[in-house]
Amino acid sequence: MRYLRFERWLGDMLKIVGDLEAVYFEEVRRHAATDAAHVFGGFLAGLTTWCEEQGIAYQGVPVGTIKRFIAGKGNADKQAVIAAVRVRGFSPADDNEADAISILLWAIETQGGVR
């Protein structure tokens, strides 16, 4: 059910936004547990399938790339990422939101902008 809800959420976001040029996501290459790897694989399959069906480009961004971009070090800890995002004028609720903001800023600054 989690994957069906995720795909429904993607559709809802598309309705709200109206048009998506691309989807960027955190590409996790190493998982601490087998279950985490399976869950990530399921979400990745759902996301890529949905993007292909909608004709929307998608790109995974490695964790180290995100951290290096926002905090200056590819192995920056969560607090360093949060602090770097705050320096840019954002107030992330947690490390997950800081990661999402970092990916957005990375896409804007390195991929020719987003709309």
Side-chain angles (χ1 to χ4, degrees), residues 32-48:
T34 303
D35 286 345
H38 290 176
V39 170
F40 179 79
F43 281 116
L44 182 60
L47 176 65
T48 58

Side-chain angles (χ1 to χ4, degrees), residues 23-108:
V23 173
Y24 298 94
F25 59 93
E26 183 176 339
E27 183 179 273
V28 181
R29 294 185 178 168
R30 195 183 95 167
H31 300 278
T34 303
D35 286 345
H38 290 176
V39 170
F40 179 79
F43 281 116
L44 182 60
L47 176 65
T48 58
T49 299
W50 183 84
C51 286
E52 289 288 342
E53 290 171 348
Q54 303 301 318
I56 298 170
Y58 53 93
Q59 179 179 338
V61 185
V63 174
T65 299
I66 298 164
K67 291 180 176 188
R68 191 174 313 103
F69 167 79
I70 198 71
K73 288 176 30 177
N75 63 347
D77 65 17
K78 293 174 190 263
Q79 293 307 313
V81 171
I82 291 170
V85 168
R86 286 188 175 142
V87 166
R88 299 261 192 133
F90 296 90
S91 299
D94 58 23
D95 61 293
N96 294 311
E97 188 173 340
D99 290 345
I101 293 167
S102 298
I103 293 169
L104 174 63
L105 294 172
W106 175 87
I108 290 169

Side-chain angles (χ1 to χ4, degrees), residues 12-29:
D12 291 345
M13 292 299 102
L14 183 59
K15 286 178 189 170
I16 291 169
V17 174
D19 184 31
L20 286 176
E21 186 175 303
V23 173
Y24 298 94
F25 59 93
E26 183 176 339
E27 183 179 273
V28 181
R29 294 185 178 168

